[in-house]
CSV table of all heavy atoms in Angstrom, one decimal:
chain,number,residue,atom,x,y,z
U,336,ASP,N,217.1,36.7,125.0
U,336,ASP,CA,217.3,37.6,126.1
U,336,ASP,C,218.5,38.6,125.7
U,336,ASP,O,218.5,39.7,126.1
U,336,ASP,CB,217.6,37.0,127.4
U,336,ASP,CG,218.6,35.8,127.3
U,336,ASP,OD1,218.2,34.7,126.9
U,336,ASP,OD2,219.8,36.1,127.5
U,365,ASN,N,216.2,32.4,127.9
U,365,ASN,CA,216.7,31.0,128.2
U,365,ASN,C,217.9,31.2,129.2
U,365,ASN,O,218.7,30.3,129.4
U,365,ASN,CB,217.1,30.2,127.0
U,365,ASN,CG,218.2,30.9,126.2
U,365,ASN,OD1,218.7,31.9,126.6
U,365,ASN,ND2,218.5,30.3,125.0
U,367,TYR,N,220.6,32.7,129.1
U,367,TYR,CA,222.0,33.1,128.7
U,367,TYR,C,222.0,33.7,127.3
U,367,TYR,O,221.2,33.3,126.4
U,367,TYR,CB,222.8,31.8,128.6
U,367,TYR,CG,223.2,31.2,130.0
U,367,TYR,CD1,222.3,30.4,130.6
U,367,TYR,CD2,224.4,31.5,130.5
U,367,TYR,CE1,222.6,29.9,131.9
U,367,TYR,CE2,224.7,31.0,131.8
U,367,TYR,CZ,223.8,30.3,132.4
U,367,TYR,OH,224.1,29.8,133.7
U,368,ALA,N,222.9,34.6,127.1
U,368,ALA,CA,223.4,34.9,125.7
U,368,ALA,C,224.7,34.3,125.6
U,368,ALA,O,225.7,34.8,126.2
U,368,ALA,CB,223.4,36.4,125.6
K,719,MG,MG1,219.4,33.6,125.5
Side-chain angles (χ1 to χ4, degrees):
Chain U
D336 50 275
N365 62 6
Y367 289 84

